[in-house]
Amino acid sequence: MQIKVVLKVAALGCSLLASVAAAGEFDAKQVDAIFARTPAQADGVYRYGFPRSDLNVVVDGVTIKSALALGGWVAFRPAHGQAAIMGDLVVTESEANPVMTTLLWGGIQVTALHNHLLRASQPIFYMHVAGHGEASKLAETIRAALALTKTPPAPSAAPSRDLPPLDLDATKIDEALGTKGKVNGGVYQFSIPRADRVAEGDMVVPASMGSANVINFQPTGDGKAAIAGDIAALGSEVVELTTALRANGIEVAIIHNHMLNEEPRTFYVHFWAHDDAVKLAVALWAALDKTNVSRK
């Protein structure tokens, strides 16, 4: 007996906010229950983290913390009575195609697949996703895709306790980058927006949905840190940006797009270095200064 399976794949060329019949209001609590996670909230966006703490990835002798470069996430934003989503899932080489297939079958676009790091001890890929529809159905598709990976479940709530300070001069790093970072998973993190806006169709893509510059410092001792992240740049800014990074000893790992139909067309330049943390912060600002970064 033959069974015919009809695959309904979302057209990759369509706008993220193409007109869709409403199927109920956005319900964040329902999505919370599907993911068994609590989101971070900002700019009307609900962002769920899926860190790959199960992976043991080493670059240049540094064991990578999930908050440095292995932090998958999906952000939901209410849109036209439904939800728009964007995200970046961390997958291994063997997980990539099963995860992609499940997402496509569920009507979620896969807009990019790439690496973040060079010389990693095992191949790790980052799959950008986007979609628009009923929030619970989108969440169920993402959960089904993640079930094909070894992404750990959300940790149980632990009693709050004082954490040891990072072995970094956070004050000088903040001064160099013109803003204050935050500690997450043993990593000092920055999200620095551009001064202009990125939009897909009639939806502005806020920083919390992936349009910001992301800079992470992982302390390695004696004031040093491994840095990773990505800087958002227009096509006209990419050459000066990458030149500034290389002139200051920061490695360019990949240059790519996250979205399919954004305006203006935006490229994301991933970087890596391991050196004195303050020195690297000064160098990163010299590179950011070649772009239209927010200077608030």
Side-chain angles (χ1 to χ4, degrees), residues 104-147:
L104 293 173
W105 287 7
I108 293 178
Q109 302 173 21
V110 175
T111 60
L113 178 66
H114 56 86
N115 66 298
H116 283 184
L117 303 166
L118 302 178
R119 301 180 304 282
S121 57
Q122 62 174 299
I124 302 296
F125 297 89
Y126 301 79
M127 187 176 295
H128 286 269
V129 300
H132 180 216
E134 188 177 345
S136 61
K137 290 183 178 179
L138 294 170
E140 286 168 357
T141 296
I142 293 164
R143 183 177 65 179
L146 289 171

Side-chain angles (χ1 to χ4, degrees), residues 26-37 39 41 46 48 135:
F26 175 76
D27 187 346
K29 290 184 178 179
Q30 193 173 27
V31 177
D32 293 357
I34 292 169
F35 288 147
R37 294 167 195 265
Q41 296 184 45
Y46 301 79
Y48 298 85

Side-chain angles (χ1 to χ4, degrees), residues 62-139:
V62 178
T63 299
I64 306 300
K65 293 181 180 293
S66 56
L68 178 70
L70 299 171
W73 59 273
V74 177
F76 284 67
R77 186 182 188 188
H80 305 317
Q82 299 187 313
I85 66 164
M86 288 185 179
D88 190 11
L89 304 180
V90 181
V91 296
T92 64
E93 193 170 46
S94 62
E95 295 168 349
N97 274 296
V99 167
M100 181 183 293
T101 301
T102 299
L103 292 170
L104 293 173
W105 287 7
I108 293 178
Q109 302 173 21
V110 175
T111 60
L113 178 66
H114 56 86
N115 66 298
H116 283 184
L117 303 166
L118 302 178
R119 301 180 304 282
S121 57
Q122 62 174 299
I124 302 296
F125 297 89
Y126 301 79
M127 187 176 295
H128 286 269
V129 300
H132 180 216
E134 188 177 345
S136 61
K137 290 183 178 179
L138 294 170

